[in-house]
Amino acid sequence: MLRNTNMRWRLPLVCFLWEIAMIVLFGVFVRYDITADPHWADHMKKNNITSNIENDFYFRYPSFQDVHVMIFVGFGFLMTFLQRYGFGSVGFNFLLAAFGIQWALLMQGWFHAFDTGKITIGVQSLINADFCVGSVCIAFGAVLGKVSPVQLMIMTLFQVTLFAVNEWILLNKLHVNDAGGSMTIHTFGAYFGLTVTWILNRPNLKQRNDKEGSVYHSDLFSMIGTLYLWMYWPSFNSAISDHGDAQLRAAINTYCSLASCVLTTVAISSVVNKKGKLEMVHIQNATLAGGVAVGTAAEMMLSPYGSLIVGFICGIVSTLGFTYLSPILSSKLKLHDTCGIHNLHAMPGLIGGIVGAVTAACATEGVYTAEGLKKMFRFENEYASRTPSIQGGYQAAGICVSLAFGLVGGTVVGFILKLPFWGDPEDENCFDDVVYWELPHEEDEDNGHTF
Amino acid sequence: MLRNTNMRWRLPLVCFLWEIAMIVLFGVFVRYDITADPHWADHMKKNNITSNIENDFYFRYPSFQDVHVMIFVGFGFLMTFLQRYGFGSVGFNFLLAAFGIQWALLMQGWFHAFDTGKITIGVQSLINADFCVGSVCIAFGAVLGKVSPVQLMIMTLFQVTLFAVNEWILLNKLHVNDAGGSMTIHTFGAYFGLTVTWILNRPNLKQRNDKEGSVYHSDLFSMIGTLYLWMYWPSFNSAISDHGDAQLRAAINTYCSLASCVLTTVAISSVVNKKGKLEMVHIQNATLAGGVAVGTAAEMMLSPYGSLIVGFICGIVSTLGFTYLSPILSSKLKLHDTCGIHNLHAMPGLIGGIVGAVTAACATEGVYTAEGLKKMFRFENEYASRTPSIQGGYQAAGICVSLAFGLVGGTVVGFILKLPFWGDPEDENCFDDVVYWELPHEEDEDNGHTF
Amino acid sequence: MLRNTNMRWRLPLVCFLWEIAMIVLFGVFVRYDITADPHWADHMKKNNITSNIENDFYFRYPSFQDVHVMIFVGFGFLMTFLQRYGFGSVGFNFLLAAFGIQWALLMQGWFHAFDTGKITIGVQSLINADFCVGSVCIAFGAVLGKVSPVQLMIMTLFQVTLFAVNEWILLNKLHVNDAGGSMTIHTFGAYFGLTVTWILNRPNLKQRNDKEGSVYHSDLFSMIGTLYLWMYWPSFNSAISDHGDAQLRAAINTYCSLASCVLTTVAISSVVNKKGKLEMVHIQNATLAGGVAVGTAAEMMLSPYGSLIVGFICGIVSTLGFTYLSPILSSKLKLHDTCGIHNLHAMPGLIGGIVGAVTAACATEGVYTAEGLKKMFRFENEYASRTPSIQGGYQAAGICVSLAFGLVGGTVVGFILKLPFWGDPEDENCFDDVVYWELPHEEDEDNGHTF
């Protein structure tokens, strides 16, 4: 029996109902942050605030825009490498991210709204929502081409929810640092997506579907995504750091790590090929691993050469992963990972968590100053007695929690998505836009794809 | 008789003469703003200004750059969806915008230079010039593929002029708010363009020209434009708002409205298709309607859920417009609107004007504070006695004035462009770059377009 | 004998060894700038600094990001116009820039680290490194499609070194102004690249290789590069100017010059074509000449109409260069310049140097104020007695030094790259990605390239 992939009532229903739910929930819970409220002037007087800087637009807005571009253009176009799934890549990414940011504003907001019962949103909330959706975009990479838009909406709903819980545990209960989200975004997002795709296993999907490859121009579209992710990653890892030295370090460290990563990616890509030729899939993906892997430690005193070393290692690990590990995962474990997020997000995410834990454990007052150390790791109130080495332990715990959330959450959501009425495509229609998109009439239909 | 589409003397002449005119006029009238003049230091002393913030580069520059990207990459690539008009879309948009910003600096400058006789330009002038040109890019969408570059230059000259007059009436005489230009940019620009294309009516143009469709990769290029418009729209609507809470609200409201709009666009796009498939033209365009429709009210206390509602409605209206209204306009009214700007800019622009008027009329001191209300609507000097409900009336008047300027101006300019010597293409050459561009030799010319 | 273009050991070896060298050198020399160090708080107390503005992230970061986009997306995609060299254009540009910025941080750092022995890096260092790499991207344009990635790495190593020396001589010994790098980046970079390609002369390369042309979609990819360069050029020329009026002027002047340049480019492109048709290569390149040519004078009191004139002239010169000069250089001088950098960077760079020298020589206290004049040209300490006319002379000397560095450096590096073991492609494989890239399997291999 052919599956029914007609989305005519399912997709509109999901979109409408959920958007109406958003409107109701926003109406009940969401208000402007005081910085975006005309009562700011009163607030200043009441609290003896003398500077307007906190409600200045450009306090974090440029970082927000860079992150925003990464989510929509970066991830969207990165996935357009498939020859006939460009519409799905960029279009579904657009859809799930647009829904995800609304739901993330609510979920992340509720965790900070215990006292007042209201969620107040400002530019930093928008950045955090984009961060949260970043983890969904990562998971999308694993199931790319094999699921319906309804499944993606459901996955987004659950993943955003789990993200918010996991993030709250890490930042508020374990009290760890994770500026660029090596743990909360990459480790969680990647293992979540990998588990989902593993459960949605399609045993009859050919090892190498014809449509699963790229064509010349689709690889160039994909490079647009790669470059925007690469260029703006320093903004990503520094977007929510404290103003001042921490934020500057986060940008510098990420810049160094990414630069180094490009060279080792190219080196490995060439050396594993018989003729020494480069593979676009490596350049498109592994060059970004350096950004993932300094996600936790970016704002710490990792030092520029430390960042170079992290990037150096991750370029190697990620490229080798694409070459040797992915085929094994696919054939032995039946883990089909369309974009290779295991190589770009999962492994580098774990490395990033470990680098963060080690860098935290090695922190000294000599390097950070006594004041700086407190500020960096928020050793205050109930955490005032923490030492760097204990902090390192908690950081390590954060990796495990994120991993667990990804695996357990992915399992549950995977089984939900396995239900037979979500309209996912037949095996032979995977990686093909024709299932969910009205395609333009090509000039010469008989020739197949003459675009 | 075949029309002469050879641009060899007409286009160079127009470009040269007009650029020389620009140089002369700039020489006579344009000077640096005091913030960009070395006399700033003296100015500070004389006026007891103690802070450098007003002449700081980053006071508005990041917003300027985002708007700049929207005009050149956003509009330019949005229109590349046509299979054989990519050069014209991005190239002519580049040409008219480059001329338009110069002329806009002059036109908008003259309206603020009554006293000194000199136009002084700073970063805010550059943003305003880009805004003005935005309305021309919108109108370009209606006539895309059917006019010559000389016609576009002439249209730009007149439209920028009319824009400046209309804007001056709205902002200075009616004293209305229009931060993101729902009225001045979208309503005016769209109805202007629609009237022009209606007058340039080509009765023999086939309802569905072969070349008027897209191909797979041209739709992906177009998505680059869509995404940059979508992502940077919060910067657009907030670019010239007062620093502080108004600017933050403008960004947050736009973000919310756009996110909501994506979901209803997808829903309607799927539900109007027999097989539930999505149409790229909807995703490329209707997802942006939410940004248009909060253009006036973005900086007001629309509230986040109010913004969601506006986006919700506009996604529906715009997508339905593409599906049902555009074919009717084309067949009954002989209104051929290449990019569907009626659905993306005209209707959402009107909605935006109305939302702005209602939001203004409903403003209370409780919500804005007494001080905030005055500041928001500039209730000062001769306008000190205005109340919000009166303001709402003036806002509504602003919609009508913009509409009238668009319709009347478009009529006049349409007839000018109808003159037979501007080199517009034959019906069968519409939507084809070959008329005005030296095209690259494809590998296999016989096969037609094998790109 | 066929040359061995297998990169399997050469490229990985170069990448690995050089990256390890970077790590070692960074470990020994590179530290965070005080603004990015937790000791900033102590530093403030010690030096009685009361404002945090200098270590604020957004002090220059938005400019950095714009410049970063120009280097990686701007230059990378600008060069994708070749029908079968898109991977090489964007991929090798990525590789050389990622290596170049690391080496530039070291080279430029050493010239400022005589006293402490340590290089301290902050956001401004990142901008300067990107600037330096910009000159390599320019030179890459001349040899595009004719060299191996190993040759590019070697060229980058030497060119960055020479750039740093030349820049140091200009800025510190000649004490000239060159905010946007007309001399240090464009003149030096372009003549360096032209000399290298001249020495690497391939006498048997057909005047017009089949693969040296563009196809429809490759020209559109190239326009992405063009537009990002064009839009962000105001950020480029103002990125390292003093905050305040100088930085604002740099952006305004560049904006004006670029706008003007588009119109004359279109005019000439149309007039030199028999049928008055526009050529994409002109629109892609000559429209940018206006940005190059105000690189030195952008921050000076060039005045808006002066900027328009500069752009006006450069659009003409550059387009005429593409039409008439390039073919002559190629046939008579055997100078094969793939991207036409002579027209976009060399000639406009020289014009830019001259405009800068003249503008400096004409500076008066009336225009700049006494204080402003000193600040603009750093007439202080040993340079306190310089007058504007003397400054103009030194500016002119700066052009000559940059030219000499380009020509002599290019000669030396050209001969190094001529050594027979770097793996450059056969003549018939020039401009073809197949030599160094594993290409995707097209659907229909027999048809050749059906992308």
Side-chain angles (χ1 to χ4, degrees):
Chain A
M1 193 201 73
L2 280 173
R3 295 185 216 194
N4 179 2
T5 58
N6 190 326
M7 291 284 112
R8 191 162 187 188
W9 298 110
R10 283 172 284 188
L11 182 59
L13 214 66
V14 167
C15 288
F16 268 126
L17 289 183
W18 294 12
E19 190 55 51
I20 290 168
M22 290 300 114
I23 292 173
V24 173
L25 291 170
F26 267 61
V28 176
F29 291 106
V30 178
R31 300 291 175 269
Y32 298 117
D33 188 90
I34 183 67
T35 59
D37 193 288
H39 292 85
W40 168 257
D42 296 353
H43 177 78
M44 280 179 78
K45 273 177 224 156
K46 242 182 268 169
N47 296 271
N48 283 322
I49 299 170
T50 53
S51 153
N52 261 312
I53 188 156
E54 296 228 357
N55 95 321
D56 190 87
F57 189 61
Y58 301 106
F59 189 59
R60 289 207 185 269
Y61 190 80
S63 296
F64 159 64
Q65 273 300 357
D66 290 355
V67 172
H68 215 42
V69 170
M70 290 175 73
I71 299 299
F72 289 87
V73 162
F75 282 110
F77 273 91
L78 181 64
M79 295 189 278
T80 57
F81 70 97
L82 290 174
Q83 57 183 278
R84 287 307 276 182
Y85 209 71
F87 292 8
S89 300
V90 80
F92 293 155
N93 187 68
F94 193 13
L95 172 63
L96 71 83
F99 165 65
I101 52 181
Q102 298 177 57
W103 180 230
L105 282 175
L106 286 168
M107 278 305 305
Q108 295 181 319
W110 279 323
F111 277 109
H112 295 279
F114 292 129
D115 41 353
T116 61
K118 294 290 173 203
I119 296 166
T120 58
I121 61 173
V123 169
Q124 189 153 345
S125 324
L126 307 187
I127 297 175
N128 280 322
D130 272 2
F131 271 20
C132 174
V133 164
S135 84
V136 185
C137 298
I138 292 167
F140 179 32
V143 297
L144 186 75
K146 299 174 293 185
V147 292
S148 76
V150 170
Q151 285 177 307
L152 288 173
M153 290 291 286
I154 292 167
M155 188 177 90
T156 306
L157 181 75
F158 284 105
Q159 193 176 350
V160 166
T161 310
L162 290 165
F163 179 96
V165 178
N166 182 47
E167 184 189 49
W168 180 78
I169 292 174
L170 262 69
L171 302 189
N172 294 80
K173 295 289 117 183
L174 298 179
H175 205 72
V176 304
N177 282 28
D178 197 18
S182 288
M183 296 180 282
T184 53
I185 300 171
H186 298 285
T187 302
F188 164 72
Y191 283 101
F192 181 94
L194 290 167
T195 314
V196 167
T197 196
W198 185 66
I199 289 173
L200 294 181
N201 174 32
R202 292 165 172 268
N204 301 318
L205 195 66
K206 273 186 288 174
Q207 276 282 323
R208 197 71 191 169
N209 187 309
D210 285 350
K211 291 172 198 151
E212 213 188 329
S214 62
V215 288
Y216 198 74
H217 279 175
S218 70
D219 270 329
L220 278 177
F221 278 113
S222 182
M223 278 303 291
I224 298 174
T226 301
L227 287 176
Y228 274 99
L229 288 171
W230 194 90
M231 295 181 304
Y232 287 162
W233 215 296
S235 306
F236 190 92
N237 282 351
S238 65
I240 53 165
S241 292
D242 284 340
H243 267 227
D245 59 274
Q247 196 168 23
L248 285 161
R249 271 200 303 281
I252 295 168
N253 287 335
T254 310
Y255 177 96
C256 288
S257 178
L258 285 164
S260 168
C261 189
V262 173
L263 271 86
T264 52
T265 298
V266 167
I268 299 290
S269 182
S270 174
V271 89
V272 297
N273 182 289
K274 275 185 220 159
K275 296 180 186 165
K277 292 187 183 184
L278 302 172
E279 291 247 22
M280 262 319 226
V281 66
H282 302 153
I283 310 299
Q284 282 155 5
N285 291 280
T287 51
L288 301 168
V292 175
V294 292
T296 301
E299 59 183 7
M300 302 179 195
M301 289 295 281
L302 182 58
S303 83
Y305 83 93
S307 309
L308 291 186
I309 293 173
V310 173
F312 188 93
I313 293 168
C314 284
I316 297 173
V317 168
S318 185
T319 313
L320 289 177
F322 275 99
T323 313
Y324 300 112
L325 197 54
S326 284
I328 293 175
L329 292 180
S330 176
S331 60
K332 306 283 174 199
L333 270 187
K334 304 295 174 206
L335 180 65
H336 182 279
D337 170 13
T338 313
C339 292
I341 64 165
H342 187 260
N343 312 305
L344 172 49
H345 298 282
M347 292 190 296
L350 289 177
I351 294 173
I354 295 165
V355 169
V358 173
T359 313
C362 299
T364 64
E365 292 198 355
V367 171
Y368 286 84
T369 76
E371 210 43 51
L373 196 63
K374 268 186 208 163
K375 205 174 141 203
M376 172 53 58
F377 298 105
R378 299 172 293 145
F379 290 159
E380 52 197 10
N381 304 331
E382 52 185 299
Y383 305 98
S385 60
R386 264 206 198 166
T387 62
S389 61
I390 294 175
Q391 177 70 20
Y394 277 98
Q395 294 278 147
I399 308 174
C400 302
V401 172
S402 299
L403 195 58
F405 258 82
L407 294 173
V408 176
T411 308
V412 174
V413 175
F415 279 109
I416 294 172
L417 296 183
K418 219 178 160 62
L419 296 173
F421 40 79
W422 303 128
D424 45 326
E426 292 293 310
D427 284 358
E428 61 267 31
N429 288 331
C430 282
F431 319 115
D432 198 337
D433 275 331
V434 80
V435 187
Y436 304 114
W437 296 86
E438 199 65 51
L439 294 186
H441 297 285
E442 304 293 330
E443 300 238 323
D444 199 349
E445 290 268 303
D446 305 323
N447 274 354
H449 312 309
T450 62
F451 46 94
Chain B
M1 193 201 75
L2 280 172
R3 294 186 218 192
N4 179 3
T5 58
N6 190 324
M7 290 284 112
R8 190 160 188 189
W9 299 109
R10 283 173 283 188
L11 182 59
L13 215 65
V14 167
C15 288
F16 268 127
L17 289 184
W18 293 13
E19 190 56 51
I20 290 168
M22 289 300 116
I23 291 174
V24 173
L25 292 170
F26 268 60
V28 177
F29 291 105
V30 180
R31 300 292 176 267
Y32 299 116
D33 186 89
I34 184 67
T35 60
D37 193 289
H39 292 84
W40 168 257
D42 295 352
H43 177 77
M44 280 179 78
K45 272 176 226 156
K46 243 182 266 171
N47 296 273
N48 283 321
I49 300 169
T50 53
S51 153
N52 261 313
I53 190 158
E54 297 228 356
N55 95 321
D56 190 89
F57 189 60
Y58 301 105
F59 188 59
R60 289 206 184 271
Y61 192 79
S63 297
F64 159 63
Q65 273 299 357
D66 291 355
V67 172
H68 216 40
V69 170
M70 291 174 74
I71 299 299
F72 290 87
V73 163
F75 282 110
F77 273 91
L78 181 63
M79 296 188 277
T80 57
F81 69 97
L82 290 173
Q83 57 183 278
R84 288 308 276 183
Y85 208 70
F87 292 9
S89 300
V90 80
F92 294 156
N93 186 69
F94 192 14
L95 172 63
L96 71 84
F99 165 65
I101 52 180
Q102 298 176 58
W103 181 229
L105 283 175
L106 286 167
M107 278 305 304
Q108 295 180 319
W110 280 321
F111 277 109
H112 296 279
F114 292 130
D115 41 352
T116 62
K118 294 290 172 201
I119 296 167
T120 57
I121 61 174
V123 168
Q124 188 151 347
S125 324
L126 307 188
I127 296 175
N128 279 322
D130 272 3
F131 271 19
C132 174
V133 164
S135 84
V136 186
C137 298
I138 291 166
F140 179 32
V143 297
L144 185 75
K146 299 175 291 185
V147 292
S148 76
V150 170
Q151 284 176 307
L152 288 173
M153 291 291 286
I154 293 167
M155 188 177 90
T156 306
L157 180 75
F158 284 105
Q159 194 177 347
V160 166
T161 311
L162 289 165
F163 179 96
V165 178
N166 182 49
E167 183 189 47
W168 180 78
I169 293 173
L170 263 69
L171 301 189
N172 293 81
K173 295 289 118 180
L174 299 178
H175 205 71
V176 305
N177 281 28
D178 196 20
S182 288
M183 297 180 279
T184 54
I185 300 171
H186 298 285
T187 302
F188 164 73
Y191 283 100
F192 182 94
L194 290 168
T195 314
V196 167
T197 195
W198 185 65
I199 289 173
L200 294 181
N201 173 34
R202 290 164 173 268
N204 301 318
L205 195 66
K206 274 187 288 176
Q207 275 281 325
R208 197 70 191 171
N209 187 309
D210 286 349
K211 291 171 197 151
E212 213 188 330
S214 61
V215 287
Y216 197 74
H217 279 175
S218 71
D219 270 329
L220 278 177
F221 277 114
S222 182
M223 278 304 290
I224 298 175
T226 301
L227 288 176
Y228 274 100
L229 288 171
W230 195 90
M231 295 180 304
Y232 287 163
W233 215 295
S235 306
F236 190 92
N237 283 351
S238 65
I240 55 166
S241 291
D242 283 341
H243 267 229
D245 59 275
Q247 197 168 24
L248 286 161
R249 270 199 304 281
I252 294 168
N253 287 335
T254 310
Y255 177 96
C256 289
S257 177
L258 285 164
S260 168
C261 189
V262 173
L263 271 84
T264 51
T265 298
V266 167
I268 298 290
S269 182
S270 174
V271 89
V272 298
N273 183 288
K274 275 185 221 159
K275 297 181 185 164
K277 294 186 183 184
L278 302 172
E279 291 247 21
M280 262 317 224
V281 66
H282 302 154
I283 310 299
Q284 282 156 5
N285 291 281
T287 51
L288 301 168
V292 175
V294 292
T296 300
E299 59 182 8
M300 301 180 195
M301 290 294 283
L302 183 57
S303 84
Y305 82 93
S307 309
L308 291 186
I309 293 173
V310 173
F312 188 92
I313 293 168
C314 284
I316 297 173
V317 168
S318 185
T319 314
L320 289 176
F322 275 99
T323 313
Y324 300 111
L325 197 53
S326 283
I328 293 174
L329 292 180
S330 176
S331 61
K332 306 285 175 198
L333 269 187
K334 305 295 173 206
L335 179 64
H336 183 280
D337 169 12
T338 312
C339 292
I341 65 165
H342 187 259
N343 312 304
L344 172 48
H345 298 282
M347 291 190 298
L350 289 177
I351 292 174
I354 294 165
V355 169
V358 173
T359 313
C362 299
T364 64
E365 292 199 356
V367 171
Y368 287 85
T369 75
E371 209 44 51
L373 195 64
K374 268 186 208 163
K375 205 175 143 204
M376 171 54 58
F377 297 104
R378 297 171 294 146
F379 289 159
E380 52 197 12
N381 304 329
E382 52 185 300
Y383 304 99
S385 59
R386 264 206 197 166
T387 63
S389 62
I390 295 176
Q391 177 70 20
Y394 278 99
Q395 295 278 146
I399 308 173
C400 303
V401 172
S402 299
L403 195 58
F405 259 82
L407 295 172
V408 175
T411 308
V412 174
V413 175
F415 279 108
I416 294 171
L417 297 183
K418 220 177 159 63
L419 295 174
F421 40 79
W422 302 128
D424 46 325
E426 292 293 310
D427 284 359
E428 61 267 32
N429 288 331
C430 282
F431 318 116
D432 198 336
D433 275 332
V434 80
V435 187
Y436 304 115
W437 296 86
E438 199 65 52
L439 293 186
H441 297 286
E442 305 293 330
E443 298 237 325
D444 199 347
E445 289 268 304
D446 304 324
N447 275 354
H449 311 312
T450 62
F451 46 95
Chain C
M1 194 199 75
L2 280 172
R3 293 186 220 193
N4 179 2
T5 58
N6 189 324
M7 290 284 112
R8 191 162 187 188
W9 299 110
R10 282 173 286 187
L11 181 59
L13 214 66
V14 166
C15 287
F16 268 126
L17 289 183
W18 294 12
E19 190 55 53
I20 290 168
M22 288 300 113
I23 291 174
V24 173
L25 291 170
F26 267 60
V28 177
F29 291 105
V30 179
R31 300 292 175 267
Y32 299 116
D33 187 89
I34 183 68
T35 59
D37 193 289
H39 293 83
W40 169 256
D42 296 354
H43 177 78
M44 280 179 80
K45 273 178 226 155
K46 242 182 266 170
N47 296 272
N48 283 319
I49 299 169
T50 53
S51 152
N52 261 314
I53 189 159
E54 296 228 357
N55 95 322
D56 189 87
F57 189 60
Y58 301 106
F59 188 59
R60 288 205 184 273
Y61 191 80
S63 296
F64 159 63
Q65 272 300 357
D66 291 354
V67 172
H68 215 41
V69 170
M70 291 174 74
I71 299 299
F72 288 87
V73 163
F75 282 110
F77 273 90
L78 181 64
M79 294 189 278
T80 58
F81 70 97
L82 291 173
Q83 56 183 278
R84 289 307 275 184
Y85 209 71
F87 292 7
S89 300
V90 81
F92 294 156
N93 186 69
F94 193 14
L95 171 64
L96 70 84
F99 166 65
I101 51 180
Q102 299 177 56
W103 181 229
L105 282 176
L106 286 167
M107 278 305 305
Q108 295 181 319
W110 280 323
F111 277 110
H112 295 280
F114 292 129
D115 42 353
T116 61
K118 294 291 172 203
I119 296 167
T120 57
I121 61 173
V123 169
Q124 188 152 348
S125 323
L126 307 188
I127 297 176
N128 280 321
D130 272 2
F131 271 19
C132 173
V133 164
S135 84
V136 185
C137 298
I138 291 166
F140 179 33
V143 297
L144 185 75
K146 299 174 295 184
V147 292
S148 75
V150 170
Q151 284 175 308
L152 288 173
M153 291 291 286
I154 293 168
M155 188 178 90
T156 306
L157 180 76
F158 284 105
Q159 194 177 349
V160 166
T161 311
L162 289 165
F163 179 97
V165 178
N166 182 48
E167 183 188 49
W168 180 78
I169 292 173
L170 262 68
L171 302 189
N172 294 80
K173 295 290 116 183
L174 299 178
H175 204 72
V176 304
N177 283 27
D178 197 18
S182 288
M183 297 180 281
T184 53
I185 301 171
H186 299 285
T187 302
F188 164 72
Y191 284 101
F192 182 94
L194 290 168
T195 314
V196 167
T197 195
W198 185 65
I199 288 173
L200 294 181
N201 174 34
R202 291 165 172 269
N204 301 319
L205 194 66
K206 273 187 289 176
Q207 276 282 323
R208 197 69 192 171
N209 187 308
D210 285 349
K211 292 172 197 150
E212 213 186 329
S214 61
V215 287
Y216 197 73
H217 278 175
S218 70
D219 269 329
L220 279 178
F221 277 114
S222 182
M223 278 305 290
I224 297 174
T226 300
L227 287 177
Y228 274 100
L229 288 170
W230 195 90
M231 295 180 305
Y232 287 163
W233 215 296
S235 305
F236 190 92
N237 283 350
S238 65
I240 54 165
S241 291
D242 284 340
H243 267 228
D245 59 274
Q247 197 168 24
L248 286 160
R249 271 200 304 281
I252 294 169
N253 287 335
T254 310
Y255 176 97
C256 289
S257 177
L258 285 164
S260 169
C261 189
V262 173
L263 271 85
T264 52
T265 298
V266 167
I268 298 290
S269 183
S270 174
V271 88
V272 297
N273 183 287
K274 276 184 219 159
K275 296 180 185 164
K277 294 186 183 184
L278 301 172
E279 292 247 21
M280 264 316 228
V281 65
H282 302 153
I283 310 299
Q284 283 156 4
N285 292 280
T287 51
L288 301 168
V292 175
V294 292
T296 301
E299 59 183 6
M300 302 179 195
M301 290 293 283
L302 184 56
S303 83
Y305 83 92
S307 308
L308 292 186
I309 293 173
V310 172
F312 188 93
I313 293 168
C314 283
I316 298 173
V317 168
S318 185
T319 314
L320 290 176
F322 275 98
T323 314
Y324 300 113
L325 197 54
S326 284
I328 294 175
L329 292 180
S330 177
S331 61
K332 306 286 175 196
L333 269 188
K334 304 295 174 207
L335 179 63
H336 183 280
D337 170 12
T338 312
C339 292
I341 65 165
H342 187 261
N343 311 305
L344 172 48
H345 298 283
M347 290 191 298
L350 289 177
I351 293 173
I354 294 164
V355 170
V358 172
T359 313
C362 299
T364 64
E365 292 197 356
V367 171
Y368 287 85
T369 76
E371 210 45 50
L373 197 63
K374 268 186 207 163
K375 205 174 141 203
M376 171 53 58
F377 298 104
R378 298 172 294 145
F379 289 158
E380 53 198 11
N381 303 329
E382 52 185 300
Y383 304 99
S385 60
R386 262 206 198 168
T387 62
S389 62
I390 294 176
Q391 178 69 20
Y394 278 99
Q395 295 278 147
I399 308 173
C400 303
V401 171
S402 299
L403 196 58
F405 259 82
L407 295 172
V408 175
T411 308
V412 174
V413 174
F415 279 109
I416 294 171
L417 297 183
K418 220 178 159 64
L419 295 174
F421 40 79
W422 303 128
D424 44 327
E426 293 293 311
D427 284 358
E428 60 267 32
N429 289 330
C430 282
F431 318 116
D432 198 336
D433 275 332
V434 81
V435 186
Y436 305 114
W437 296 86
E438 200 64 51
L439 293 186
H441 296 285
E442 304 293 332
E443 299 239 323
D444 200 348
E445 290 268 302
D446 304 324
N447 274 352
H449 312 309
T450 62
F451 46 95

